[in-house]
Amino acid sequence: MYYVKLFLLGSTPRSVWQIKYNLPSVAWGTLFPNITLLVVISTFSFLFLQTLGLTILSLTALGYSIISPIINGLAVMTFFLFYQLYKYLFLYVYQQPSSSDTGGLFFPKAIQHVFVGLYIQQVCLCALFFLARDESGKASSVVQGGLMIVLIVVTVSNFFLVVFVFLG
């Protein structure tokens, strides 16, 4: 792959030097959406996240693990593998220039991305519960829809708590 990249992109001596000797940097615009989607769709078990102190992600786990509990094991495995992958990439592959270092200010932005995904997921799930009908045409999941409304309120309150803590 290295030689293919060198052949296709190395048309000048400067570009060949760039390919050979410069380390790549992180493409935050493509990293955030992928991880956010994975966080929102797949969830961990509620207690696992509470022990790690990740209350925001545990809210997602509580909402989605009831519907599809098999996802929890797959999510734990996926996030462990992503942790190992990005740990390696950030330590040995990526280069973060001093001019683009933010001192951790990307974390509140990433949390806001996760919250937007949570809002969309929870509103759609709430609508799905309220629109569900049984064989006789009566609403069959009103209680679950009500619980989703409570979960949306808890998520919004946690969002304001995070905004207050990180943004003052």
Side-chain angles (χ1 to χ4, degrees):
M1 188 70 183
Y2 170 75
Y3 292 111
V4 171
K5 182 179 176 183
L6 192 61
F7 178 74
L8 292 176
L9 301 176
S11 59
T12 64
R14 183 181 301 251
S15 62
V16 170
W17 188 87
Q18 288 279 99
I19 292 169
K20 283 186 175 183
Y21 299 111
N22 277 355
L23 295 174
S25 61
V26 181
W28 294 110
T30 59
L31 180 65
F32 278 160
N34 295 336
I35 300 299
T36 302
L37 180 66
L38 191 63
V39 166
V40 171
I41 290 177
S42 63
T43 58
F44 307 149
S45 64
F46 185 72
L47 294 175
F48 176 72
L49 288 171
Q50 284 296 334
T51 58
L52 293 178
L54 300 173
T55 307
I56 298 161
L57 295 178
S58 62
L59 289 173
T60 309
L62 184 63
Y64 195 73
S65 66
I66 298 169
I67 297 171
S68 181
I70 192 77
I71 297 294
N72 294 334
L74 297 172
V76 168
M77 183 179 65
T78 302
F79 277 103
F80 176 74
L81 291 175
F82 272 163
Y83 171 75
Q84 295 297 326
L85 170 77
Y86 284 114
K87 181 180 173 183
Y88 175 79
L89 287 176
F90 281 115
L91 287 176
Y92 301 114
V93 177
Y94 290 150
Q95 178 182 15
Q96 184 72 21
S98 299
S99 61
S100 65
D101 188 17
T102 63
L105 293 179
F106 278 137
F107 180 73
K109 174 93 50 201
I111 292 298
Q112 287 179 351
H113 280 240
V114 170
F115 272 112
V116 168
L118 282 174
Y119 295 148
I120 292 170
Q121 177 204 18
Q122 290 174 351
V123 167
C124 290
L125 194 57
C126 184
L128 182 69
F129 281 141
F130 283 125
L131 292 175
R133 304 283 180 213
D134 59 4
E135 295 85 21
S136 62
K138 295 182 180 179
S140 62
S141 301
V142 176
V143 176
Q144 289 88 347
L147 289 173
M148 282 304 300
I149 290 175
V150 171
L151 187 62
I152 291 170
V153 170
V154 169
T155 304
V156 169
S157 64
N158 274 328
F159 171 72
F160 286 122
L161 177 70
V162 168
V163 166
F164 177 73
V165 167
F166 284 109
L167 302 177

